[in-house]
Amino acid sequence: MSIAENIRNIKSKLPPSARLVAVSKFHPVENILEAYAAGQRIFAESRPQEFLSKIKVINSLNCHSDIEWHFIGHLQTNKLKMVLPYVSMVQSVDSEHLLRSIDTWGRENGKITNVLLEIHISGEETKQGFLADEVTDLLSRVGNFGNVRVCGLMGMATFTDEESVVRGDFERIRTLFTQLGEGVMAGRKEFCELSIGMSDDYMIAVEYGATMVRIGTDIFGPRVY
Ligand SMILES: *Cc1c(COP(=O)(O)O)cnc(C)c1O
């Protein structure tokens, strides 16, 4: 199936409350343009250097200014300037240090960056992210930043075929999201995004209230690393 057909197929299954984020990492600019031509507008990348070189090509074409870029990979603070000028959201804020650095960068460069806090929901040790207690503590200590807008949570479920494990992961992040929304983030209208679900589990994520699903493989095919 073509990229356009894949997008149409996925969108037909998503409720209006869940936006599709097309994960284009490891795929060439031509594929991004094909998805754009099919109406896709939100794209996500995960590696600063790759992101920057694609952005430069796409911006030089001068006709895709309505693309909304999200960053979803591990971001080192010495790479902020490669990423922050071009993104409308960083979904993968996984430490207080990174959060504060994005805020500082924003103050110096006159930009307010939307972010999601990445939550470690899987049982795997390798995945990044805050634990539930850490994020609650962080947001109660520093609820407000001048140049960062905390818009919600992002999480990746355990990589497994066992659906009950995936459901458990999504259930935990949804519970945390609800608790924060009714607790330390109460009254903060911008705290409304729950980014969960990838190619293998996005229809499950939708059941747990995903407002964004991040899909790469099911749109662009397998990645060649
Ligand atoms: C690569 C990636 C995705 C997309 O994964 P697929 O399984 O290809 O849909 C989603 N989220 C994050 C954070 C990723 O790094």
Side-chain angles (χ1 to χ4, degrees), residues 23 25 46 72 154 156 198-200 214-217 223:
V23 178
K25 66 185 186 201
S46 64
I72 58 169
M154 185 270 257
M156 263 191 273
M198 307 173 23
S199 292
D200 286 339
R214 310 176 308 272
I215 301 184
T217 308
R223 288 178 286 276

Side-chain angles (χ1 to χ4, degrees), residues 16-186:
S17 52
R19 287 185 294 156
L20 174 60
V21 178
V23 178
S24 50
K25 66 185 186 201
F26 290 91
H27 294 287
V29 166
E30 300 84 80
N31 291 11
I32 297 174
L33 299 181
E34 204 175 319
Y36 182 91
Q40 181 62 29
R41 290 297 179 269
I42 311 178
F43 291 87
E45 288 279 337
S46 64
R47 299 186 304 168
Q49 187 57 60
E50 177 185 350
F51 174 54
L52 188 60
S53 43
K54 286 175 174 172
I55 278 279
K56 283 184 175 159
V57 174
I58 291 171
N59 286 355
S60 73
L61 302 173
N62 266 325
C63 54
H64 307 84
S65 58
D66 57 346
I67 290 187
E68 191 181 303
W69 289 102
H70 292 199
F71 195 82
I72 58 169
H74 184 58
L75 185 54
Q76 288 170 299
T77 51
N78 62 351
K79 305 229 165 110
L80 295 186
K81 63 180 181 302
M82 297 166 72
V83 170
L84 295 185
Y86 312 103
V87 291
S88 55
M89 182 174 275
V90 177
Q91 295 202 8
S92 45
V93 172
D94 56 4
S95 73
E96 180 168 349
H97 176 62
L98 177 57
L99 190 64
R100 290 186 181 281
S101 304
I102 295 174
D103 187 45
T104 304
W105 185 94
R107 204 155 40 247
E108 289 165 355
N109 292 274
K111 177 167 179 170
I112 298 175
T113 305
N114 295 323
V115 306
L116 303 183
L117 302 178
E118 181 172 353
I119 308 300
H120 182 105
I121 49 171
S122 82
E124 291 149 278
E125 301 218 328
T126 51
K127 297 226 165 102
Q128 337 257 4
F130 291 101
L131 301 176
D133 289 349
E134 291 171 344
V135 86
T136 307
D137 169 66
L138 171 64
L139 290 175
S140 29
R141 277 187 293 111
V142 282
N144 250 319
F145 292 90
N147 290 76
V148 161
R149 203 180 282 124
V150 179
C151 298
L153 305 181
M154 185 270 257
M156 263 191 273
T158 310
F159 184 70
T160 174
D161 287 336
E162 269 181 75
E163 192 177 310
S164 63
V165 174
V166 173
R167 285 182 180 276
D169 291 345
F170 288 157
E171 177 63 41
R172 275 195 304 284
I173 193 170
R174 173 175 65 177
T175 301
L176 177 62
F177 179 62
T178 307
Q179 279 169 355
L180 293 170
E182 292 170 353
V184 288
M185 299 303 272

Side-chain angles (χ1 to χ4, degrees), residues 193-208:
E193 300 286 0
L194 183 59
S195 175
I196 49 174
M198 307 173 23
S199 292
D200 286 339
D201 54 21
Y202 69 91
M203 287 312 292
I204 304 175
V206 161
E207 287 181 49
Y208 291 84

